[in-house]
Amino acid sequence: MAATHILTRDEARRRAELLTVDSYTVELDLTGHTEGDTFSSRTSVAFSCSEPGAETFIEIAAERVEDAYLNGEPVDVSTFDPKAGLRIENLAEENTLVVNAVCAYSTDGQGLHRMTDPVDEETYLYSQFEVADAQRVYACFDQPDLKASFTFQVRTPKHWKVISNMPAVSENAVDALGIKVTLFETSPRMSPYITAICAGPYFGVHETHDGIDLGVYCRQSMKEYLDPDGVFEITRQGFDHFHEHFGVRYPLPKYDQVFAPEYNFGAMENFGCITIAEASFLFRSQVTDFELEQRANVILHEMAHMWFGDLVTMRWWDDLWLNESFAEWASHWANVEATRFSGAWTTFLSARKNWGYGQDQQPTTHPVYTDMDDTDAVQANFDGITYAKGASILKQLVAYVGIDPFLEGLRAYFKKHKFGNAVFSDLLTELEAACGKPLADFADTWLRTAGVSTLRPEITDGDDGAYARVAVRQEVPADHPTTRTHRIAVGLYDLDGERLVRRERIEIDVRGASTEVPELAGVARPDLLLLNDDDLTYAKIRLDERSLATTVAHTSALDDSLPRALIWSAAWDMLRDAELPARRYVAQGASSLTTETDINIVTVAQRQVGASLSYADPAVRADLREQWAQAAKTAMDAAEAGSDMQRSWAKAYASASRSEADLRRIRGWLDGEDAPEGLAVDADLRWALLTGLVANGFADESVIDAELERDDTADGKRLSFIARAAVPTEAAKERAWERIVDPSTENYIRRSSMMGFAPLDQADLVRPYLSRYLEAVPELWEKLGAQQAVEFSKLAFPSCLIETETLDLLDAWLAEERPAPVKRGVAEGRADVARALAGRECDKAAD
């Protein structure tokens, strides 16, 4: 597959000064999809030039360019190089460029991805163009600030459905050839990266809401699982909410959502043609409210992008956060205000904000607003800072200016810049005008600096059981020593029988290194002192020893889910910072999480308790895992039959189990024996159980083969590769590694193989692959697309090798001269290993 042009910010700025793009007409012939790996692409682009006689280039990452014509004159294509784009010279004031090319289908999830459904052998296509992969399908000026209108015409097999940004004008069949030609309405002005083409025998369901034609699509073999009612319900609620508050209506006549197979991301905000990861959000097995809330959040996130990103688009990728942070904030806000998921801010704290905290403590941390020198640098910054930290800061900004002035500023921003491009200062101007407050200092402090503060209580006890003194100490990382002002609430909680009840709440501003809290002097000491109660600021928090002891047994005794989530977040961060021994964290999970009633907290914290074993003294790790397994089994047995809690605890029990008796029982579930009453041992749960059994040597590859025969679907194939990679033999590891590092491996096979490759207990099998991983990182950066290279460097990292020898080898590799994006995944993996080693020393000291 042809390489793409890596566009620099300077190139984009110069080209935007030179050109104004009016329109594209794109014709694609997809009828040869079964006969080869390429398709024909014809693009006609009309644009003006501010400096007649100048030259420029247009991106087209084609296998070959057949010919090209500028204003009717042939363009020399003999030296065409997709890495450099197609040079065009002697531009007129008004220009028409026609490019005829042969482009390649992809199997890496970028460009025009092609998959064949193993159930019915039908082919499905979908596009994924962010950051700069529209050029893999048609010739374009592939940057966000060169917007234009688009008209697509697509030639396909007759029985296919084609979905794009706009409604189809016509579908003309040629019966004799078994083909049809679909012509779409001309779109409003938009950036190339949010155009879209999905094609194949997709199954669709439609309805109309508030004048908008809604569609939801999936593969034919998945139609029984589609749940259009659930998707449409959230979609209707989202449109009603955003229309009420944003002041500008969604501008397109239709809104389609396509569940895409073998997808790299959660979803993509193509204007009017959303693509959503089928494997994550099209549920073929029983799911809990956690998964349903996550699906709702994704639907609302992509819908928010119709305003943040599509209607008004960043000028360059420096302002990527303008897209993602706002969509992240708006989706949770809408979930709370407009859907049944009223606890979405608790889930945001548990699942998303913790993602941001983790990313912000990496050596590769960066400001929310960060310079992007070129399109390759952008791929690595779709991270917890751009999404979750940015959304957290926006949540603080809303609290500071007030929701009504904030929305007033947004409405002015949308109206002024619709169908255009903007930068953050444009938004800040409108927000300042609406709220009457200066915001530049807030923006500089929170958006242009990296790192996260830690807020720690400093307590002096009096002789009478009351506080003599309380202060809040603000600690900042040495590499990013920005001391910020934090508006926080401080909650005082007392045990009242079986309940943990808030006695008092005060709000303070934490400024500088230490802030006294005189209101608490002489106040009776509570059982729990909770900093940042109600989660008002973006900061890590610490618990004093008395409070920590209370939380081990009584976290679930709090009535409100938000403080419970704050406690779990604080404990997780203390564990990661080697301030809380893993044995105490596991004990908290075994005693307090098992009585938690919020499925979102339970799901996230279960994963964290499992991960905490990496921080445990290896001498006691087996005992801690057994303690956790038995607690999970007890919680599973106590849960209501068929409930969310039963399913969640059954998965936690199966994941932690290592004893022969427990593994034999779990193996029986696959055979229909001794499963808890009401537990649906369906396809996805079967694969999860099987993978655990395989990793622990309680089942071999023949069992995987049998399960795949039972579930010979795209999902079955994907999950089987996770299980095969987890097989604890040298031969299985070698086969998995070959799949991982082969550049021709399909994206979902590589991803699944990486996910199963390095369980914590398989360090001896994985150790030989550390040096091979380091050799492969720079090689695959050259051979894979940027997105797949980023994913490899992170997911293939041998995270189970928590050893000082690992750090030595990594340090030597990192000391060599290499581009920062190539080093990033390795540097982050190295930091995680160092944290785990420090955590193990902390756990040993607690013995």
Side-chain angles (χ1 to χ4, degrees), residues 32 73 484 619 772 798 828:
E73 296 297 322
R484 303 176 178 91
R772 295 172 69 177
E828 292 179 354

Side-chain angles (χ1 to χ4, degrees), residues 341-492:
F341 300 111
S342 57
W345 285 123
T346 295
T347 313
F348 174 75
L349 168 61
S350 298
R352 305 295 283 182
K353 202 169 182 181
N354 272 326
W355 176 33
Y357 288 146
Q359 190 69 50
D360 214 5
Q361 296 173 82
Q362 288 284 4
T364 56
T365 187
H366 57 86
V368 174
Y369 175 92
T370 190
D371 289 339
M372 303 284 190
D373 292 333
D374 58 41
T375 50
D376 243 12
V378 181
Q379 291 288 359
N381 276 3
F382 287 89
D383 60 17
I385 295 172
T386 300
Y387 285 74
K389 181 179 180 179
S392 299
I393 293 167
L394 288 174
K395 188 168 179 274
Q396 291 173 226
L397 181 60
V398 171
Y400 176 61
V401 305
I403 185 65
D404 291 335
F406 183 79
L407 292 173
E408 182 183 341
L410 291 187
R411 287 190 286 268
Y413 173 75
F414 292 142
K415 290 175 182 177
K416 184 175 292 187
H417 299 285
K418 62 182 179 181
F419 299 117
N421 297 86
V423 296
F424 177 52
S425 60
D426 296 319
L427 176 60
L428 204 63
T429 296
E430 302 304 331
L431 293 176
E432 288 179 331
C435 72
K437 297 179 180 180
L439 300 176
D441 287 347
F442 178 94
D444 287 343
T445 300
W446 286 100
L447 299 175
R448 296 183 183 274
T449 60
V452 56
S453 301
T454 300
L455 304 183
R456 187 185 302 273
E458 294 181 323
I459 296 171
T460 302
D461 287 325
D463 296 331
D464 55 356
Y467 287 133
R469 172 182 175 268
V470 176
V472 178
R473 185 165 82 247
Q474 179 174 186
E475 301 167 351
V476 296
D479 292 340
H480 303 283
T482 301
T483 302
R484 303 176 178 91
T485 298
H486 298 268
R487 182 71 175 177
I488 68 168
V490 179
L492 284 70

Side-chain angles (χ1 to χ4, degrees), residues 233-254:
E233 179 183 24
I234 300 297
T235 303
R236 292 191 301 267
Q237 291 168 335
F239 270 127
D240 290 347
H241 183 73
F242 292 143
H243 281 157
E244 177 185 354
H245 294 292
F246 284 169
V248 175
R249 278 185 58 84
Y250 169 71
L252 303 188
K254 63 94 174 175

Side-chain angles (χ1 to χ4, degrees), residues 55 63 83 267 312 367 483 556 558 566 610 666 672 680 696 715 825 830:
E55 66 177 63
E63 296 300 292
K83 290 185 177 181
V312 183
T483 302
S556 60
L558 289 156
L566 277 164
I666 293 163
N696 289 295
D715 275 331
R830 191 254 182 232

Side-chain angles (χ1 to χ4, degrees), residues 250-264:
Y250 169 71
L252 303 188
K254 63 94 174 175
Y255 189 81
D256 290 324
Q257 297 171 90
V258 181
F259 286 94
E262 302 176 359
Y263 203 67
N264 287 340

Side-chain angles (χ1 to χ4, degrees), residues 286-291 593 596 598-607 628 632-633 635-636 639-640 642-655 669 679 685:
Q286 180 183 329
V287 294
T288 71
D289 249 16
F290 174 79
E291 286 85 5
L593 188 63
E596 173 60 57
D598 188 301
I599 189 61
N600 300 292
I601 294 175
V602 167
T603 304
V604 174
Q606 282 173 342
R607 296 170 184 174
W628 174 237
K633 180 167 68 174
M636 173 190 71
E640 181 182 350
S643 65
D644 285 0
M645 289 299 177
Q646 182 194 51
R647 187 173 184 86
S648 188
W649 283 111
K651 292 168 73 174
Y653 164 57
S655 176
W669 294 359
L679 181 66
L685 183 56

